[in-house]
Amino acid sequence: MAGSITSDRAPTVEGRRDGPLIVTEDAELLDDLLRLCAAAGAQPQVYHAVPEHRASWDAAPLVLVGDDAAARCRGATRRRDVLLVGRGQDDPGVWRRAVEIGADCVLRLPEAESWLVDRIADVAEGAGRQALTVGVIGGRGGAGASTLACALAVTAAREGRRTMLVDGDPLGGGIDVLLGGEQAEGLRWPDLAAARGRVAGGALEESLPSLRGLRVLSWDRGESAAISPEAMRSVLAAARRRGGVVIVDLPRRVDDATVEALAQLDLGLLVVPAELRAVAGAKRVAAEVGTVLRELRVVVRGPYAAGVDDQWVAEVLGLPLVGELPVEPGLEAALDAGAPPGGSARSPLGRFCAAFWERALAEEGAS
C-alpha cells in the first residue's frame, strides 16, 4: 500500500514548512516518530512505501524511512535529507540498507530521540535567519527600561516585522500591563518556567498573547515563579528561530536565568538617567552584564544634572552611545488611557525607536 494514512492535515502555520515524510509499517516505530513530530511541532505525512506521486517524496523537507521499509524504498529518487530510523540494536545489514536508499545517516531510537526532535523542528520551522535579539536593562531602578523595551516592540510590529517581547524580570509586575493586555488569553511565564529541552518556535508563538501586532511573554499577577536557566534558554532559542526581532526586558539582578538571556542577545541597551548616582550604579551593572554580553550600548535619559550630558555618560561608562531617550509629553496619561509606549509613530519615542531599528537592522544586514 502506498497511500497516505494520515487524517486531514492541519493547516500550515505561516512561516512554517511542511513536516517530514515518514515511511514505515512498524506500528511501534510509527508511534515513536509521531510522538517526536508532535514534540517538534511538525505535522508529518505517513506512508507504508514510497508515495505513488513521487513529488511528495521529492518535495518533503525530510524523509524518515523505517528500517522495516528500506527494501521498499530502493527505487526512490536519490535525494538529500533521508534518514534511516530503527529501534533497538544495530545489525550488520543496516548500513548496507542505508546505502541502498541513499540515506544520510542511520538513527536508533530511543538513543537518538533528542537529536531527531531538533532535526524535525528545524525543517518544520524552516531554516531562515534568526531573530535580531535586543535586551534592555536599567542602570538603576525606574530608569525606563521596560518603557523602552515596550516601545521598541510596538514600533517593530507597526513596521511589519515579526516581533516578540519577553519579560525577563519576575519582579517587574508584567510588561503586558504596559500594552493594556493583562486580561489577554495566552500563556505566561509560570506556564513555561519549568520548560526543558527543545521548545517549538511556532507552538510558542501561537500560545502567547497577541497584543498590538506582537507576541508577548509576560508574568501574571500571581506569585512569582523563578525562571530556570534551562527554561530561559529553551524559550529564547525558540523565539529566535522564528526570525524577525525579539526584545527582552531584563532585570538588573543578574542571576543564572538572566545570564542565559544575555548569552542569546545580539545587542544590549543600558538605559541610564543622566544623574551622578545613576551613572555610578549603571557602571556596576555594565561591568556585570559585560562579563557575558559583548555588545552593550547606552541610552541616556534626561533631565540632565549640572555638568552632565549624554556624551559624558557614555565616556564614563566606556560604552557606545545610542542616543538620548526623548521626553514623551503626556506618556503617563496615555498609558492610563490604554495607549502603549511608542504607540504613535510621530511621537518622540516612536521616532527614536524607528531610527534605532533602521540602524540596527542595517548593521545586521552588513554583518
Side-chain angles (χ1 to χ4, degrees), residues 13-14 16 40-41 125 199-207 238 241-242:
V13 176
E14 182 182 357
R16 181 185 299 174
E125 296 176 18
V199 174
L204 173 67
E205 185 177 45
E206 294 162 31
S207 70
R241 286 195 302 271
R242 297 295 285 165

Side-chain angles (χ1 to χ4, degrees), residues 18-341:
D18 289 340
L21 186 149
I22 299 173
V23 183
T24 185
E25 283 187 313
D26 184 329
E28 292 186 13
L29 177 61
L30 178 58
D31 284 345
D32 285 339
L33 293 177
L34 292 177
R35 172 174 53 83
L36 298 180
C37 286
Q43 179 74 26
Q45 300 179 69
V46 182
Y47 293 85
H48 290 320
V50 176
E52 292 179 2
H53 300 290
R54 295 301 176 91
S56 296
W57 171 277
D58 295 338
L62 182 69
V63 177
L64 307 177
V65 177
D67 197 9
D68 66 291
R72 298 190 296 279
C73 295
R74 285 176 184 161
T77 306
R78 292 297 177 115
R79 50 156 292 168
R80 299 179 59 185
D81 300 315
V82 175
L83 309 179
L84 184 63
V85 187
R87 301 173 70 251
Q89 298 299 314
D90 273 350
D91 67 75
V94 67
W95 298 106
R96 173 181 52 80
R97 294 190 292 275
V99 171
E100 288 174 347
I101 66 172
D104 294 344
C105 65
V106 175
L107 302 178
R108 288 325 227 182
L109 305 182
E111 293 83 1
E113 284 192 358
S114 178
W115 185 91
L116 185 53
V117 168
D118 282 354
R119 186 74 182 88
I120 294 169
D122 283 341
V123 300
E125 296 176 18
R129 190 167 190 170
Q130 288 199 327
L132 175 61
T133 306
V134 177
V136 187
I137 187 168
R140 66 157 170 79
S146 295
T147 297
L148 177 57
C150 187
L152 287 170
V154 169
T155 301
R158 183 173 55 243
E159 294 178 348
R161 301 184 180 95
R162 170 179 269 132
T163 305
M164 187 177 294
L165 175 61
V166 178
D167 187 353
D169 187 357
L171 302 180
I175 205 166
D176 54 353
V177 175
L178 285 175
L179 292 164
E182 58 268 32
Q183 301 300 323
E185 293 185 0
L187 298 185
R188 264 69 173 183
W189 263 122
D191 303 302
L192 299 167
R196 294 176 181 273
R198 177 87 176 214
V199 174
L204 173 67
E205 185 177 45
E206 294 162 31
S207 70
L208 299 179
S210 177
L211 303 170
R212 310 284 176 173
L214 58 107
R215 297 286 179 168
V216 182
L217 176 53
S218 185
W219 291 90
D220 61 13
R221 260 45 66 185
E223 294 183 6
S224 62
I227 310 173
S228 70
E230 295 83 0
M232 182 64 78
R233 182 188 312 124
S234 297
V235 167
L236 281 185
R240 297 188 72 205
R241 286 195 302 271
R242 297 295 285 165
V245 297
V246 175
I247 302 95
V248 187
D249 183 26
L250 294 166
R252 289 184 299 120
R253 178 174 54 88
V254 180
D255 57 13
D256 291 342
T258 305
V259 168
E260 289 292 346
L262 291 169
Q264 296 204 46
L265 298 182
D266 297 304
L267 170 64
L269 301 180
L270 181 64
V271 183
V272 183
E275 55 190 50
L276 295 179
R277 289 187 61 191
V279 173
K283 194 172 183 66
R284 291 191 293 270
V285 174
E288 192 167 5
V289 168
T291 62
V292 182
L293 178 62
R294 288 178 296 178
E295 188 62 38
L296 182 64
R297 304 176 188 177
V298 62
V299 177
V300 181
R301 198 198 82 190
Y304 291 89
V308 175
D309 61 22
D310 53 0
Q311 294 288 346
W312 181 86
V313 172
E315 290 174 6
V316 169
L317 296 176
L319 297 174
L321 176 65
V322 173
E324 178 186 350
L325 190 65
V327 175
E328 185 81 59
L331 178 61
E332 291 299 326
L335 292 175
D336 290 341

